[in-house]
Structures are given as C-alpha cells and as structure tokens.
C-alpha cells in the first residue's frame, strides 16, 4: 500500500513510530511531516497528504496534530478526501466501515503512540461495508 503521512510539531515521535511500523509491514510511506518540535503550520503538511490521496498517488493518508481537528479540517477541504478524527481503534474501524474514510487524523496530545499505531493498523485493515453506507458517502461531497 502507498501511504502519505504528515504532521505538525505535536507529532514527530508519533510519525516516526507509525512510519517504522508501516515500513515493517511492507508499505511505501511518503513523509511530509516535520521531524522537530519547533512550531510549524499544520496546513502546510496536511495539504500535501490530501493532494496525494485526492490524486490517487496514495491509497490512504495519515495526519497528526495536537488535537487532530485542525489538520482534519484542512485535508477535508480537498475533493475525494474523507478524513476521520480518531481517538480509539473502534472509531477508526467505524470510519472505514461506514464512511469509507481514506485519511485518519490522530490527536497526538490525547492518544499514546501505541494507541496511534493500533488505530492506524485497524484503519488500514478494515474494509468499507458499502450498501446503505455508500448512499450516505455519495452525499458527502457537493
């Protein structure tokens, strides 16, 4: 799988651990995030991930910021992107099953690195159920 990841200053340790995990599973990861805790603007990294997903250069995206909200709002501005803010693996599963989410947004200040890895694993390994959910997903974008 091809996965794009981006983060702001709240998530370099999360990104590093997630990238190591994904690469150990054989995934190809494109890294747009910062590697330091120096303050940066999350939209700069979120837009790059969203562009990859919307253009089909990545199968999925992962974005990380302090609350997960700002970067999720940013990537959701892109056509064909459905980002879900997730704080537990059960939410990550539902985001895929019911919403066909293709980007997971992780709140670094409210989850542990281990939780983040578990959410990413669940997100990537859960299939969209389609059916009645497809009708709803079709109504998301204008």
């Amino acid at each position: 799988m091809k996965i794009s990841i981006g983060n702001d200053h709240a998530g370099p340790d999360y990104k590093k651990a997630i990238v190591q995990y994904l690469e150990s599973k054989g995934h190809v990861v494109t890294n747009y995030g910062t590697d330091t805790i120096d303050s940066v603007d999350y939209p700069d990294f979120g837009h790059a991930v969203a562009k990859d997903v919307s253009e089909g250069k990545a199968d999925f995206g992962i974005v990380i910021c302090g609350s997960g909200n700002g970067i999720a709002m940013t990537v959701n501005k892109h056509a064909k992107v459905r980002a879900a803010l997730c704080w537990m693996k059960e939410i990550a599963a539902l985001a895929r099953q019911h919403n066909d989410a293709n980007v997971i947004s992780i709140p670094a200040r409210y989850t542990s690195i281990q939780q983040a890895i578990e959410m990413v694993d669940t997100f990537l390994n859960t299939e969209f159920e389609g059916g009645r959910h497809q009708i709803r997903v079709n109504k998301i974008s204008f």
Side-chain angles (χ1 to χ4, degrees):
M1 233 183 279
K2 293 179 185 174
I3 301 163
S4 289
I5 190 167
N7 61 285
D8 72 0
H9 50 276
D13 292 340
Y14 285 69
K15 180 193 63 184
K16 181 179 178 183
I18 291 167
V19 168
Q20 286 176 345
Y21 173 76
L22 293 173
E23 289 177 342
S24 78
K25 298 292 184 183
H27 300 294
V28 175
V29 181
T30 302
N31 175 7
Y32 292 107
T34 184
D35 293 322
T36 73
I37 58 170
D38 297 333
S39 183
V40 295
D41 298 329
Y42 57 79
D44 297 337
F45 305 101
H47 285 305
V49 171
K51 185 177 179 192
D52 278 1
V53 173
S54 68
E55 293 179 355
K57 294 177 184 173
D59 301 305
F60 291 100
I62 301 167
V63 292
I64 308 161
C65 75
S67 70
N69 279 311
I71 204 161
M73 291 176 188
T74 299
V75 299
N76 274 324
K77 299 295 183 194
H78 291 255
K80 301 179 186 174
V81 171
R82 289 173 306 282
L85 172 58
C86 299
W87 57 93
M88 56 196 298
K89 65 183 181 180
E90 292 82 3
I91 299 296
L94 287 172
R96 288 287 305 127
Q97 290 170 337
H98 293 185
N99 309 116
D100 199 17
N102 51 16
V103 176
I104 183 171
S105 182
I106 298 171
R109 293 193 177 117
Y110 299 95
T111 59
S112 69
I113 290 175
Q114 184 59 40
Q115 284 175 302
I117 291 170
E118 290 172 3
M119 288 188 296
V120 166
D121 185 63
T122 298
F123 188 82
L124 297 177
N125 290 297
T126 301
E127 295 292 326
F128 176 51
E129 290 179 357
R132 72 184 195 277
H133 303 296
Q134 184 65 61
I135 296 165
R136 297 168 185 152
V137 168
N138 291 343
K139 293 180 179 183
I140 292 173
S141 296
F142 289 103

